[in-house]
Amino acid sequence: MHTILERLEKMEHEYRRQILRAAFGMLIFAFPFFDILTLLVFNFLIIASLAYFPEYPVIAKLLYRKPEPGSRKMLTDMNDGIRSARNLALSVFIMLLISQLLEFTPLDFPLYVIGGAIAIATFGSSAASFIRNRKKRHLNGTIVRNRHGREQHFLPSSIVMLGVGIFFAYLAGTWIAGWEDLNVSRNLVFFLAVIGSITGALFESIPSKVDDNISVPLGAGMTMWLFHSFGYSVPPYEMFMALMFSLVLGYLAYRAKIADLSALFSASLLGVLIIVFSDISWFILLLTFFILGGGFTKYKYKFKESIGIAQSKDGVRSYENVFSNSMAALVLAVLYGIYPQYSEFLIFAYLGTVATATGDTLASEIGTTARSQPIMITTLKPTCTGVDGAVTVLGEVAAILGSAIIGILAIIFGVLPVESWFMVIFITTAGGFLGTNVDSVLGATLQHKGKLSNSGVNFIATFAGALISGAMYLTLI
């Protein structure tokens, strides 16, 4: 034991911290042999030792993060290394506590799900940190930071985290479920491992002040718990193909500078879920929105930038853009898989929400370049270009065309039968066009008053487009 500690002390600091994090992850393989209450008490003792005894020699030597070269930062307060270890233990404690409390309810938060989330946050994150540290050494110690001052993540490290996370989450899940003799299929365990790992990589890539040791395990754990409750899964090869397809398309968007790293993993998560719960053609329809949106964001970008209305970050989309425009689509795709008896209604609602997202984006990106003066949608009075709620004839036409494209592609891809082509295109276009104008009304009212952000407006408008198309289906068909 003494020899191991000496070797750890001589090791490069970041490598030492990640080995200790992975060692903490090994504890999940003991989960089947203890009850949850015992695991809670043990985890509480770890938190207490890190919170109240940070100056204890062993803890100090192994976990303190040394100041960067040239930094004047002193080790007077609780250091990042101690804080990260404490936050990881706290995240595990929270999940175990939820599991314990749910024993008094019909719900459950099984240990194999918790173990999978811990595996992602320990083995997956440790592997990613090794890659980032090697990248940093390649840059001669230069640390690239995001706008919150946190160390910038790189695509290679995130991909490594995803792959290692899937492997160990699946291994931990099958180990714990097997020893506890749970009636859980390996298909479900693999499904949850993939979903949890993408979520973990997503949370790690999001610029935030929240420590990754809190956001990654809790984000992955809660997402895995949600889909565990559905009890829905597909064969591993189908899940793997969906993952590869989504990742490749997300990577192409990232390379084309349409999406940042968080958008890549957001789109990958959406892609996997939409493909496995519905069909690949549903995802292609949503992908059409992203392609058109990214392409027309670049349309006359210099002009839009010159008058101060261009998309920020050179038009690169982030996770906020992805989720605000696609959450309704995700919900409807999941409902389609769980409630196939309502399939046709859900398809029309899905087309309405995708058409709304497409129509609104094209109306904004094309309409703002119109030579005619825009009018406010709520008063019909002339207003300035770029004002929330401002509309132009060119923008309205773009909304109609963008919405119609989704309806036409739905027929081409066989989402709905060709015999119903007119009603499909009509309902999709009407839902998208009206949903786009709901977006404009919300922009002129709630967003203008500061009660909704642009993402909030998009979120509500896409659900409105789904409701409009769904209601039209029930009325006309």
Side-chain angles (χ1 to χ4, degrees), residues 81-94:
I82 299 291
R83 187 180 294 108
S84 295
R86 183 198 61 186
N87 287 339
L88 178 59
L90 178 62
S91 300
V92 176
F93 181 83
I94 291 171

Side-chain angles (χ1 to χ4, degrees), residues 66-84:
K66 296 178 182 179
E68 296 165 17
S71 172
R72 296 181 179 180
K73 182 179 178 182
M74 302 301 292
L75 302 178
T76 53
D77 300 323
M78 183 174 287
N79 187 268
D80 286 347
I82 299 291
R83 187 180 294 108
S84 295

